[in-house]
């Protein structure tokens, strides 16, 4: 199937209100334009240099989401392009993003990345760390950042019960944060979870954003 057909097939299966982030990492701008031609407007990239190289060549109404581990010295590089940084994994990074956004007078949406997977290589706040940071006020008083929700990746496993229980934990944590710390804040509404192999499960557990690469663009060539 073509990229356009894949976009249409997936979008047709998403419940109302769930948005697709087309993960275009490692794929050339021509392929992104194919997805764009099918109506796709939200794209995800996980490397700063790659985002900064591709974005200027593409239409300005694309909404870029940064989804990879963000090194502190790369924040400035993505600031002109990223409308949402999904992968905020520490309070220091959050503060730096706010500072850099203020410096260039931009406003950026962010998601708090939660570490729920079994792999140590994945980054993010543990549930306890996220709740503690919230208790300590780390998510308050950010002038140029809007915390719009949470993001997570499940363990890379064929055990779909485990994946489901991790998504469940993300959903519960989202609700706890929302009710305790973002009560009455309409911006705190996103749960970004689900990739090519597990997005159906993520949607069942309350995802509002799914991040899909392979199922749209085919295998990546590294
Ligand atoms: C690459 C990537 C995806 C998409 O993965 P696929 O399995 O190709 O759909 C989603 N989220 C993050 C954070 C990624 O790095």
């Amino acid at each position: 199937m073509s990229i356009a057909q894949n976009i249409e097939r997936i979008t047709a299966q998403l419940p109302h209100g769930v948005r697709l982030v087309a993960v275009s990492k490692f794929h050339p701008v021509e392929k992104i334009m194919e997805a764009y031609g099918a109506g796709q407007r939200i794209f995800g990239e996980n490397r700063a240099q790659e985002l900064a190289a591709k974005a200027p060549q593409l239409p300005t109404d694309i909404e870029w989401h940064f989804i990879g581990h963000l090194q502190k010295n790369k924040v400035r590089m993505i600031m002109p392009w990223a409308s949402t940084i999904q992968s905020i994994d520490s309070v220091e990074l959050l503060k730096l993003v706010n500072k850099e956004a203020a410096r260039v007078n931009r406003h950026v949406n962010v998601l708090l990345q939660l570490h729920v997977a079994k792999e140590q290589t994945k980054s993010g706040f543990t549930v306890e760390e996220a709740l503690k940071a919230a208790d300590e006020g780390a998510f308050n008083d950010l002038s140029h950042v809007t915390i719009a929700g949470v993001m997570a990746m499940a363990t890379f496993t064929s055990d779909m019960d485990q994946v489901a229980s991790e998504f469940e934990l993300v959903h519960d944590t989202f609700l706890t944060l929302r009710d305790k710390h973002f009560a009455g804040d309409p911006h705190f509404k996103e749960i970004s979870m689900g990739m090519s192999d597990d997005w159906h499960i993520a949607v069942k557990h309350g995802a509002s954003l799914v991040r899909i690469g392979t199922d749209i663009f085919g295998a990546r060539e590294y």
Side-chain angles (χ1 to χ4, degrees):
M1 284 215 268
S2 69
I3 288 172
Q5 285 170 323
N6 289 335
I7 297 273
E8 279 161 31
R9 169 178 53 83
I10 295 166
T11 334
Q13 292 177 72
L14 294 176
H16 183 73
V18 179
R19 294 180 301 151
L20 171 63
V21 180
V23 176
S24 50
K25 64 191 188 196
F26 293 94
H27 294 294
V29 292
E30 292 73 24
K31 288 197 170 188
I32 297 176
M33 278 312 293
E34 273 185 64
Y36 183 90
Q40 181 62 28
R41 291 295 179 272
I42 311 177
F43 290 88
E45 290 281 342
N46 73 337
R47 296 188 305 175
Q49 287 95 332
E50 192 173 339
L51 173 59
K54 285 168 165 178
Q57 307 177 52
L58 286 157
T60 52
D61 63 343
I62 287 181
E63 191 183 307
W64 291 104
H65 286 214
F66 192 80
I67 61 171
H69 178 64
L70 182 56
Q71 289 168 271
K72 299 206 171 62
N73 62 357
K74 300 284 166 58
V75 172
R76 203 167 278 190
M77 187 183 286
I78 68 163
M79 198 47 71
W81 309 109
S83 69
T84 299
I85 300 173
Q86 293 205 0
S87 41
I88 297 293
D89 57 10
S90 71
V91 171
E92 298 75 60
L93 180 62
L94 178 65
K95 297 223 151 92
L96 180 63
V97 166
N98 187 56
K99 186 173 145 201
E100 287 295 327
R103 198 181 63 87
V104 292
N105 203 20
R106 271 183 67 96
H107 197 98
V108 61
N109 290 320
V110 303
L111 304 182
L112 304 172
Q113 183 171 353
L114 298 176
H115 183 140
V116 293
K118 293 287 168 277
E119 295 108 336
Q120 281 313 314
T121 48
K122 289 188 171 135
S123 52
F125 294 88
T126 63
V127 171
E128 292 71 29
E129 286 166 349
L131 297 175
K132 182 161 177 277
D135 279 337
E136 292 171 355
F139 304 147
N140 305 338
D141 306 322
L142 297 160
S143 57
H144 287 71
V145 158
T146 296
I147 302 180
V150 299
M151 176 272 223
M153 265 185 273
T155 303
F156 183 70
T157 172
S158 56
D159 180 353
M160 288 300 147
D161 290 339
Q162 167 153 9
V163 169
S165 77
E166 290 172 359
F167 287 153
E168 186 78 32
L169 177 60
V170 174
H171 189 219
D172 285 349
T173 308
F174 165 82
L175 292 177
T176 305
L177 283 167
R178 190 190 63 184
D179 296 345
K180 276 187 73 180
H181 299 282
F182 295 93
D185 177 355
H187 299 109
F188 193 83
K189 60 183 167 52
E190 306 289 4
I191 302 180
S192 172
M193 59 188 187
M195 316 191 348
S196 289
D197 291 331
D198 57 17
W199 64 268
H200 289 96
I201 303 172
V203 165
K204 278 197 198 123
H205 288 87
S208 67
L209 291 164
V210 292
R211 310 179 307 269
I212 300 179
T214 310
D215 203 14
I216 296 171
F217 295 106
R220 290 178 283 274
E221 285 168 38
Y222 291 89

